[in-house]
Amino acid sequence: MAERKQSTPAAPDAVLRALADPHRRQILRLVKHSELPAGQIAASFTLTQQAVSQHIGVLKQAGLLTERREGTRRLYTLRHEALDPVRELLSEFWPDALSRLKKAVETAHPRPPKR
Amino acid sequence: MTAEIRNDVIVATEHIKAPPEVVFPYFTDPALIVTWIGDRAELDPQPGGVFSLGMGETVARGAYITVEPPYRVVFSWGVPGDETLPPGGSTVEVVLTPDGDDTMVVLTHRGVPSTHLDTHRAGWEHQLGLLRGAAG
């Protein structure tokens, strides 16, 4: 049976919004297995460092990045568990669709009252 | 209504108060399918026939693989122009089993990319697109 974490307080909205940008997804791919300093992340893009910093900020806000300071450097890595709410949403796609199917069919074909 | 997600397979079930003969066309008739999923459809329900379902900005496209009215239909599901989840990249099998005068629907979606980042990128972008479409 599906595990439903009813206690998950974070709505997936912030995560979905954060994921809705290709640059931000690229950042997540860079740090999914390794911790990288901001400078090295920025070096992978043709964007300005400031633009990359903004993207990192959005990802941090959404809980998708863990930040660690080492001297003057800031190091980032993916917080995998932040994706859990999205996974839960995806697991509801077909059940939600079938609920609508049930409603559509039963509305269009109401059972005659039992005699 | 239940759902189970295990590895790359999603299984969803539903009980519907109508016989399979009534439910089946909701998977093959464009006018009926959009009453529950998507907002536009092009369907040619025969093996190899087109299965195309528009959901907002996203289009799920594939082909019917098996069409056995009124009990079973299998179609592929993917996104055109998407290398990692091409049309036919995953399959949806729908089995309608009579339950008295009613129907048990068991839908199995196989080859669903995991939401984890280390699998198909476009897979979850696609799924997110579907979510946005389905929510609208």
Side-chain angles (χ1 to χ4, degrees), chain B residues 6 28 55 60 70 88:
Chain B
R6 196 191 306 145
T28 54
M55 285 168 273

Side-chain angles (χ1 to χ4, degrees), chain A residues 8 15 26 28 36 41 43 53 60 62 64 69-70 76 79 82 84-85 91-92 107 113:
Chain A
T8 307
V15 176
Q26 181 59 29
L28 294 180
L36 290 181
I41 295 171
S53 293
K60 249 170 61 181
L64 283 160
R69 288 185 187 222
E70 197 180 79
Y76 295 96
R79 220 180 122 252
D84 287 352
S91 73
E92 288 163 14
T107 304

Side-chain angles (χ1 to χ4, degrees), chain A residues 11-102:
Chain A
D13 296 26
V15 176
L16 286 171
R17 271 196 295 273
L19 292 174
D21 179 278
H23 291 119
R24 291 199 285 270
R25 290 194 296 268
Q26 181 59 29
I27 292 172
L28 294 180
R29 257 171 251 133
L30 288 170
V31 299
K32 69 184 176 189
H33 293 311
S34 50
E35 194 183 44
L36 290 181
Q40 198 174 328
I41 295 171
S44 315
F45 290 89
T46 52
L47 300 174
T48 63
Q49 185 138 8
Q50 192 189 1
V52 173
S53 293
Q54 280 179 1
H55 285 313
I56 288 175
V58 173
L59 291 168
K60 249 170 61 181
Q61 281 286 320
L64 283 160
L65 288 182
T66 301
E67 184 185 82
R68 187 171 68 86
R69 288 185 187 222
E70 197 180 79
T72 58
R73 295 201 309 171
R74 292 171 186 215
L75 297 147
Y76 295 96
T77 189
L78 170 68
R79 220 180 122 252
H80 286 268
E81 58 270 34
L83 290 169
D84 287 352
V86 177
R87 193 178 173 76
E88 274 184 45
L89 260 184
L90 292 180
S91 73
E92 288 163 14
F93 176 75
W94 281 116
D96 287 351
L98 291 186
S99 290
R100 292 193 299 272
L101 171 65
K102 176 183 173 69

Side-chain angles (χ1 to χ4, degrees), chain A residues 1-2 4 16 19-20 25 28-29 32-33 78 80 83 86-87 89-91 93-102 104-106 108-109 111, chain B residues 1 3 5 12 14-19 22 26-27 35-37 77 92 101-102 107 109 114-118 121 124-125 127-128 130-131 134:
Chain A
M1 286 298 103
R4 289 280 158 83
L16 286 171
L19 292 174
R25 290 194 296 268
L28 294 180
R29 257 171 251 133
K32 69 184 176 189
H33 293 311
L78 170 68
H80 286 268
L83 290 169
V86 177
R87 193 178 173 76
L89 260 184
L90 292 180
S91 73
F93 176 75
W94 281 116
D96 287 351
L98 291 186
S99 290
R100 292 193 299 272
L101 171 65
K102 176 183 173 69
V105 172
E106 293 180 359
H109 301 269
R111 279 274 158 80
Chain B
M1 179 264 292
I5 186 163
E14 185 64 271
H15 178 267
I16 297 179
K17 292 193 198 106
V22 167
Y26 282 77
F27 289 90
T35 62
W36 65 280
I37 189 170
W77 178 277
V92 177
D101 296 334
D102 303 343
L107 183 150
H109 193 168
S114 154
T115 55
H116 284 298
L117 289 167
D118 46 358
R121 164 188 64 84
W124 53 252
E125 286 166 19
Q127 294 288 352
L128 295 177
L130 293 187
L131 278 177

Side-chain angles (χ1 to χ4, degrees), chain B residues 1 4-5 7 12 17 28 33 37 43 49 51-52 65 74 86-87 102 118 121-122 126 132:
Chain B
M1 179 264 292
E4 196 165 346
I5 186 163
N7 297 327
K17 292 193 198 106
T28 54
I33 201 168
I37 189 170
L43 307 177
F51 177 96
S52 176
I65 297 166
V74 184
D102 303 343
D118 46 358
R121 164 188 64 84
H126 157 66
R132 283 194 291 272

